[in-house]
Amino acid sequence: MECEEAIIYSYGFATVASAIPAYSKRGDIIFCDKEVCYAIQKGILASRSTVFYYDHNNMDHLVELLEAQAAKDKKNPKKARVTNRFLVTEGLFINTGQITNLPKLIELKQKYKFRIFLDESYSFGVLGENGRGLTEFYNVDRRNVDMIVGSMEFSLGSVGGFACGSSFVIRHQRLAGQGYVFSASLPPLHASMVIKAMDYFDKDLFSKLITNCKIAHEALEGIDTITVAGDPLSPMKHIRLIDNNSEEALRELCALARESNLALTVASYTSTELFKKEPSIRLTVNTELTGEEITSAIKSIGALVDQYISRDKSEGS
């Protein structure tokens, strides 16, 4: 990651959930995207900080919140001097498949003076020429991001998580990161798995992934009975029915898919999510499939949706 120092956790979920409250405390302020994953939500809750959620990837709404806070700071400069401000977001959102506008966040950081905590659990090993994540994807200086955290349980196929940044930032976690202090270390076997997995990182691999993502996105957009959410360069796609996009309808569609030997599943969320999620079927793209296989699979999904809609209409008549 080309950072000064890194720390390894034994559990991916605990990485960001521990890293946030290690720095942000009661009285501090956190600005956070509404669509962040559950682990970030729990980390923010544990910090007991004041939280302002901005609409998903909406930089205009974020600016409104920052301006409102700046006005409060002017009224009480003494309190403002001792208040830490953080912005917490994901590089690639698992809940939407969208990519964070990191250059804009860095621009706002320099103007409004806050620290950026970036969760790259789903963007590390996915985005960037060499898979280094969002900073490489946008070609921005990593020093502009105060801390990068990520899980090793997705693209790396192991367990645990990591946090990296400046030595000053990372060393603090060895004393204040609850998931690090009050946990066993990562087993050497799993650490070796991570090292071996990164040996496979190369430009051709990530170039193929981007190509497959574009193929999948274009094919999904060609199905006129569904909507597709997610950046064209993201391997995560959320599909929804244009008509009657209820969770019940999507589960019935998945059941029909299984009868056709096609495995689909509805994206699941806990009952304690802060913001209600719109039901969807989440798809992921990988490098093992050829463009023809991806196109064929998505054609099958389109035919399946048509079959489901026809059956639903006949049952309703």
Side-chain angles (χ1 to χ4, degrees):
M1 295 296 290
E2 298 179 348
C3 294
E4 288 182 5
E5 201 162 332
I7 187 172
I8 300 297
Y9 286 76
S10 58
Y11 180 31
F13 186 98
T15 306
V16 69
S18 299
I20 293 171
Y23 302 95
S24 188
K25 307 294 183 183
R26 188 189 298 274
D28 293 334
I29 295 172
I30 295 176
F31 298 93
C32 185
D33 192 293
K34 284 184 177 180
E35 291 292 345
V36 293
C37 65
Y38 192 61
I40 291 179
Q41 294 175 34
K42 294 291 102 177
I44 290 175
L45 181 64
S47 75
R48 302 172 297 173
S49 303
T50 300
V51 190
F52 298 102
Y53 288 96
Y54 59 92
D55 295 339
H56 181 46
N57 256 358
N58 189 327
M59 297 296 104
D60 292 334
H61 187 213
L62 174 58
V63 169
E64 288 179 18
L65 296 176
L66 291 168
E67 284 288 349
Q69 184 58 45
K72 292 179 184 178
D73 291 343
K74 286 182 180 180
K75 292 179 180 179
N76 193 347
K78 185 176 179 180
K79 181 181 178 182
R81 281 195 296 269
V82 296
T83 301
N84 296 311
R85 297 165 192 77
F86 302 90
L87 185 139
V88 182
T89 189
E90 289 181 87
L92 174 59
F93 291 88
I94 187 173
N95 292 334
T96 67
Q98 296 293 340
I99 298 173
T100 294
N101 187 349
L102 184 58
K104 181 62 177 181
L105 293 182
I106 292 173
E107 176 188 328
L108 294 176
K109 170 191 173 178
Q110 294 167 348
K111 180 177 179 180
Y112 294 99
K113 310 303 179 187
F114 54 77
R115 296 175 176 88
I116 297 177
F117 287 179
L118 180 64
D119 186 346
E120 297 241 46
S121 293
Y122 307 101
S123 49
F124 179 75
V126 172
L127 297 178
E129 189 178 31
N130 299 289
R132 290 195 175 102
L134 206 61
T135 52
E136 184 178 56
F137 178 77
Y138 283 115
N139 192 28
V140 299
D141 192 334
R142 287 174 179 80
R143 290 174 295 182
N144 288 316
V145 179
D146 297 273
M147 184 170 63
I148 296 174
V149 300
S151 172
M152 300 187 293
E153 299 169 2
F154 300 105
S155 62
L156 294 172
S158 184
V159 298
F162 66 90
C164 55
S166 68
S167 296
F168 173 78
V169 169
I170 300 304
R171 287 174 186 174
H172 178 70
Q173 286 186 61
R174 295 195 170 94
L175 296 175
Q178 293 184 1
Y180 182 84
V181 176
F182 301 106
S183 178
S185 60
L186 183 71
L189 170 65
H190 293 291
S192 298
M193 289 170 60
V194 170
I195 295 171
K196 187 62 179 177
M198 288 192 291
D199 287 343
Y200 290 93
F201 283 15
D202 64 59
K203 295 179 180 180
D204 291 339
L205 180 73
F206 298 111
S207 176
K208 183 180 180 182
L209 179 60
I210 292 298
T211 298
N212 284 356
C213 290
K214 291 178 179 178
I215 292 171
H217 198 89
E218 184 178 351
L220 287 168
E221 286 189 324
I223 303 174
D224 57 10
T225 50
I226 65 171
T227 62
V228 54
D231 193 277
L233 304 184
S234 165
M236 283 184 286
K237 315 290 182 185
H238 288 259
I239 61 173
R240 299 179 175 93
L241 297 171
I242 290 180
D243 297 318
N244 187 30
N245 186 62
S246 65
E247 185 170 337
E248 180 183 2
L250 292 178
R251 292 196 183 281
E252 289 177 0
L253 177 60
C254 291
L256 183 62
R258 285 193 292 273
E259 295 174 7
S260 304
N261 296 319
L262 187 63
L264 296 176
T265 183
V266 177
S268 298
Y269 305 98
T270 71
S271 60
T272 54
E273 288 273 354
L274 287 176
F275 301 98
K276 186 177 180 181
K277 310 300 180 187
E278 186 179 358
S280 67
I281 293 174
R282 183 164 53 220
L283 307 176
T284 56
V285 181
N286 62 47
T287 58
E288 292 297 310
L289 298 174
T290 64
E292 292 76 15
E293 289 171 331
I294 292 172
T295 302
S296 175
I298 292 175
K299 282 183 179 178
S300 298
I301 292 174
L304 191 71
V305 173
D306 290 340
Q307 180 185 344
Y308 171 76
I309 292 174
S310 298
R311 190 186 72 174
D312 192 47
K313 285 182 178 179
S314 62
E315 290 177 354
S317 60

